[in-house]
Amino acid sequence: MMSDAPIYLDNNATTACDPAVVSAMLPFFTEQFGNPSSMHSFGNKVGFALKEARAKVQALLGAEHDSEIVFTSCGTESDSTAILSALKAQPERNQIITTAVEHPAILTLCEYLEKEGYAITRLGVDKRGRLDMDEYRAALGPRTAIVSAMWANNESGTIFPVEQMAELAHAAGAQFHTDAVQAVGKIAIDLKKTKIDMLSLSGHKLHAPKGVGVLYLRRGTRYRPLLRGGHQERGRRAGTENAASIVGLGVACEQAMQHMAYENTEVKRLRDRLEAGILAAVPRCFPTGDVTNRLPNTSNIAFEFIEGEAILLLLNKAGIAASSGSACTSGSLEPSHVMRAMGIPYTAAHGTTRFSLSRYNTEAEIDRVIAAVPPIIAQLRKLSPYWGEKGPAENPEADFAPAYA
Amino acid sequence: MWDYSEKVREHFFNPRNAGLLDGANGIGDVGSIKCGDALRLMLKVDPDSEKIVDASFQTFGCGSAIASSSALTEIIKGMTLDEALKVSNQDIADYLDGLPPEKMHCSVMGREALQAAVANYRGEVWKDDHEEGALICKCFAIDAVLIEEVVRANSLTTVEQVAHFTKAGGGCASCHEGIEEILAKVSKEACTAPTAATKPLPPATPAAAPKLTNFQRIRKIEETVEAIRPMLQRDHGDIEIVEIDGKNIYVNLKGACVGCMMEAATLNGIQTKLVEALGEFVRLLPAAMLGKAA
């Protein structure tokens, strides 16, 4: 008999806390309440736990020194810290190079900095979401303070060549930062072998709790803190440590190391099964992004002529949690900037649906989703003015050309 | 997840009158380019009574767009065309027990489709005059285009005025930064007074110029300010010199310049002109500072 328990396929939005993470955290809400900065034994034990967590994050990132790990409150804080630091530390440089498909944590900050007078270069992507490295080389110059490019895209899962980009940035004397919030824990990372100066990660994307993040800061990188105050994090991020969450993040990193191979074989196999199953059963849909070079857990499918929020509402009714690049799910009135940057037409961009798996998903769940999706798509297409009795209108865009406001 | 009413959910999961309509004689196709939603409304109108005997829709859009379309067809069935044209987007939203502010445009699209379908039946061409901008105030669903129009039309200069005229910013206040940006943009366009570059840096050592007598210097200052006055007067403002004390020149800004968001920029701009004209560094200060500045 088929189970009807809810199926969670929105792990790029956030993940469930691993049970081992939760149990490691619990003592730090009760008997281990000390402040790690204190001299007495209450604080001392917490300080030791933080040291242990730092070493586990260091191991997952392949950082050379544990002091390169700076705990923060979230990915956004790490991103802001990195970019603002690079500008403060190098006042003679006023250009930021980033990409058109970054997370709002980077793009909104850059828009603000543009108003403040900084020069922002946003690299475009092709239909598959890939960067043009020649465009990047041409953009680098003596005024480039920092390059910030995401390791993997949250919507399509497409992976950027950040190691190579960091080499090029260094050759131009610029710092290199990567928002690796989606990549950490899903693909192998060995920072000591790269020229990456700064990296952001977020705990809740890898089965740790929300409200904790990390800024990796390569030793010797010129740096100016965002938060000044106490000596926490060697003065690089003042504020009493979120001890319980940091301990949880340490355990999550350890678990991610252990499951790295599983993620890249079994989770990948389930993702491929899901994608192939849907593509075979549903006409007029296609996967977005660089399907040959993407995260093992992510599949983003554009369903033509219907809208993503409507898909999500019906999926939710069927007990399936996914997300969409549609305008209407964000309240921004604009379809996903990632889909638009890839040149995906409006009629398909609005119907993009992201399925993001985790190591907790099962084959039975995936088969249930493969069965549930086709009738939902058919039901919505019946309502669509772009769709005829039996299939898409002969020439959908010409057949239905509404007066647009 | 949106906070949709039960009625919205119900109309989305079980839409009424969805699909093609046989014998439709009034069809309205409209869309919202910003949102990407689109709607085809089909009416079957009895030519004698002008009564809508049947209506159906096809919608490319989100849950509330589909629910709004469904509600619209239910509302107008049985109405005459003239009665139907009186249905407002608020009527559609009310029928659904309300829509989230971000989703009010779905009901606007429904009303536009209705106007377009009636025009189509009557052999007229319907033209859309409604432009939609980015949503600024989420409490009252007011977008940037509307705020900018009202600011321009009424020469508004403060967030409080914008709230009085449009309600935008009158709720939780978190959109005040966005409203200030619109005010600054409009004010900058409207103001013809000289404004300094974004970061005015007066020359540390002005180019050497022939030494002026006190009388020549005062006349030069007066001439420079006189040349600027017509620009301020065009914006219903003005300026007068109150006192000249060494390198400090005290002035009164008058009329529309008082309290204008660009006041500091205006003073900076005039100061730059004076520095250029005199070949020495001077400071332009409001008369209120008289006796206080070093």
Side-chain angles (χ1 to χ4, degrees):
Chain A
M1 203 191 115
M2 250 190 180
S3 148
D4 57 357
I7 302 170
Y8 189 75
L9 296 183
D10 201 10
N11 287 281
N12 286 9
T14 194
T15 58
C17 264
D18 189 291
V21 168
V22 177
S23 59
M25 287 173 71
L26 288 176
F28 294 87
F29 293 106
T30 51
E31 68 264 28
Q32 298 292 345
F33 62 85
N35 185 330
S37 300
S38 304
M39 282 306 293
H40 44 66
S41 64
F42 290 90
N44 200 18
K45 282 184 182 161
V46 180
F48 185 73
L50 296 191
K51 192 171 152 59
E52 215 175 323
R54 203 180 300 277
K56 287 171 180 167
V57 178
Q58 179 197 357
L60 181 64
L61 296 181
E64 195 168 0
H65 310 282
D66 69 348
S67 59
E68 293 173 328
I69 307 301
V70 180
F71 289 112
T72 65
S73 68
C74 60
T76 299
E77 185 195 324
S78 303
D79 287 345
S80 270
T81 305
I83 290 185
L84 295 172
S85 162
L87 296 178
K88 275 272 181 221
Q90 311 166 92
E92 71 287 2
R93 290 171 179 255
N94 69 345
Q95 183 205 18
I96 302 169
I97 299 178
T98 186
T99 81
V101 296
E102 293 299 304
H103 189 273
I106 297 290
L107 287 181
T108 311
L109 175 66
C110 285
E111 265 170 48
Y112 170 74
L113 290 169
E114 199 165 36
K115 285 184 205 155
E116 299 276 289
Y118 290 97
I120 313 292
T121 305
R122 298 172 183 84
L123 303 172
V125 295
D126 68 7
K127 281 187 296 192
R128 286 265 159 242
R130 294 170 299 201
L131 293 170
D132 176 350
M133 292 302 275
D134 289 333
E135 185 193 353
Y136 172 51
R137 277 190 198 93
L140 282 166
R143 303 277 274 169
T144 311
I146 185 167
V147 178
S148 180
M150 64 205 323
W151 200 308
N153 188 271
N154 47 315
E155 292 190 33
S156 68
T158 302
I159 294 169
F160 281 158
V162 284
E163 289 111 323
Q164 191 196 345
M165 291 177 81
E167 303 265 350
L168 291 167
H170 270 225
Q175 297 190 356
F176 187 87
H177 165 256
T178 179
D179 177 344
V181 156
Q182 294 294 345
V184 172
K186 293 176 193 149
I187 54 176
I189 287 176
D190 196 4
L191 287 174
K192 59 184 169 298
K193 295 213 177 102
T194 75
K195 291 250 164 48
I196 293 168
D197 298 295
M198 292 182 277
L199 171 148
S200 304
L201 79 83
S202 170
H204 74 101
K205 305 285 191 192
L206 63 148
H207 305 288
K210 293 152 189 67
V212 63
V214 163
L215 175 67
Y216 160 83
L217 179 64
R218 176 180 296 277
R219 184 173 286 184
T221 302
R222 293 187 65 204
Y223 176 76
R224 299 289 180 271
L226 181 67
L227 297 184
R228 292 173 190 269
H231 60 264
Q232 295 90 352
E233 302 301 294
R234 299 170 191 251
R236 294 168 304 175
R237 199 281 189 180
T240 300
E241 300 87 343
N242 181 356
S245 293
I246 290 171
V247 168
L249 177 59
V251 175
C253 286
E254 193 176 42
Q255 300 259 330
M257 280 289 262
Q258 288 162 8
H259 291 99
M260 189 61 74
Y262 183 88
E263 183 87 19
N264 286 279
T265 52
E266 190 57 17
V267 174
K268 184 168 184 284
R269 186 185 70 79
L270 290 179
R271 187 273 315 267
D272 290 342
R273 181 185 177 84
L274 173 72
E275 190 168 277
I278 291 174
L279 294 183
V282 178
R284 299 301 294 255
C285 70
F286 58 90
T288 70
D290 186 359
V291 292
T292 58
N293 183 29
R294 60 175 167 171
L295 294 174
N297 78 319
T298 308
S299 169
N300 190 310
I301 301 178
F303 297 101
E304 290 185 88
F305 311 121
I306 51 174
E307 198 275 339
E309 186 201 294
I311 300 171
L312 296 189
L313 290 170
L314 290 177
L315 281 173
N316 186 54
K317 205 177 170 208
I320 300 163
S323 73
S324 167
S326 130
C328 289
T329 56
S330 62
S332 71
L333 299 185
E334 291 279 344
S336 142
H337 64 286
V338 178
M339 297 302 147
R340 280 187 302 148
M342 291 194 286
I344 296 189
Y346 269 85
T347 45
H350 278 281
T352 51
T353 305
R354 179 187 68 191
F355 302 96
S356 46
L357 285 66
S358 78
R359 58 180 185 258
Y360 297 116
N361 291 118
T362 65
E363 184 142 352
E365 286 181 331
I366 296 306
D367 288 345
R368 262 178 65 201
V369 178
I370 294 172
V373 168
I376 287 174
I377 304 303
Q379 181 186 342
L380 288 171
R381 279 180 177 164
K382 261 193 201 156
L383 294 178
S384 169
Y386 294 105
W387 202 258
E389 286 291 315
K390 291 202 171 66
E394 288 261 312
N395 189 352
E397 273 85 1
D399 222 36
F400 179 72
Y404 274 108
Chain B
M1 189 67 104
W2 298 108
D3 188 12
Y4 283 140
S5 71
E6 267 313 305
K7 200 109 179 241
V8 172
R9 287 169 192 277
E10 209 270 316
H11 273 264
F12 167 67
F13 287 126
N14 305 298
R16 326 288 198 270
N17 315 306
L20 294 167
L21 181 62
D22 276 337
N25 51 4
I27 295 178
D29 291 350
V30 296
S32 150
I33 194 83
K34 276 275 183 327
C35 176
D37 284 3
L39 160 61
R40 166 175 286 171
L41 180 69
M42 290 152 278
L43 305 178
K44 199 195 256 167
V45 183
D46 173 41
D48 298 327
S49 61
E50 283 221 323
K51 237 186 186 132
I52 299 170
V53 288
D54 205 357
S56 81
F57 75 92
Q58 286 183 307
T59 294
F60 168 76
C62 58
S64 56
I66 290 171
S68 294
S69 310
S70 168
L72 171 67
T73 55
E74 286 289 277
I75 294 171
I76 60 171
K77 269 206 279 186
M79 284 184 171
T80 66
L81 293 183
D82 285 337
E83 285 168 348
L85 283 176
K86 288 191 192 120
V87 174
S88 70
N89 74 297
Q90 192 61 50
D91 292 334
I92 300 171
D94 290 347
Y95 183 90
L96 291 167
D97 296 337
L99 286 169
E102 290 90 342
K103 298 291 194 167
M104 281 303 284
H105 66 271
C106 294
S107 61
V108 173
M109 192 169 74
R111 187 184 141 68
E112 288 172 350
L114 178 60
Q115 292 170 328
V118 173
N120 173 262
Y121 171 79
R122 290 178 170 164
E124 298 160 1
V125 178
W126 176 77
K127 212 179 158 318
D128 182 25
D129 55 355
H130 157 89
E131 199 190 338
E132 201 173 84
L135 188 66
I136 301 285
C137 170
K138 294 195 175 180
C139 297
F140 297 111
I142 316 288
D143 70 31
V145 171
L146 178 71
I147 296 174
E148 198 175 317
E149 276 170 14
V150 174
V151 165
R152 247 179 244 289
N154 301 285
S155 311
L156 305 186
T157 55
T158 67
V159 173
E160 288 74 25
Q161 288 172 330
V162 171
H164 286 139
F165 276 75
T166 67
K167 292 209 285 187
C172 72
S174 27
C175 63
H176 284 191
E177 184 182 357
I179 296 175
E180 281 176 36
E181 275 173 19
I182 296 173
L183 285 167
K185 181 185 154 206
V186 174
S187 158
K188 203 170 171 188
E189 286 166 13
C191 192
T192 45
T195 52
T198 36
K199 278 178 189 162
L201 286 176
T205 46
K211 181 97 175 116
L212 302 173
T213 66
N214 263 341
F215 179 68
Q216 285 171 326
R217 185 170 176 267
I218 289 171
R219 268 185 63 175
K220 194 113 196 162
I221 294 170
E222 215 177 347
E223 278 167 21
T224 310
V225 171
E226 279 302 316
I228 289 162
R229 282 185 64 201
M231 292 187 243
L232 300 182
Q233 285 162 350
R234 266 206 293 281
D235 295 331
H236 309 289
D238 208 346
I239 188 170
E240 67 175 359
I241 302 169
V242 175
E243 172 67 301
I244 300 168
D245 178 14
K247 67 180 180 356
N248 292 341
I249 302 170
Y250 297 92
V251 296
N252 264 331
L253 282 175
K254 294 159 80 171
C257 290
V258 178
C260 171
M261 293 188 52
M262 302 300 291
E263 187 178 321
T266 304
L267 285 178
N268 258 324
I270 300 171
Q271 175 174 304
T272 308
K273 294 246 177 235
L274 284 166
V275 171
E276 279 168 17
L278 297 172
E280 60 169 318
F281 177 69
V282 290
R283 283 204 298 176
L284 197 63
L285 297 164
M289 300 272 288
L290 200 55
K292 289 178 198 158

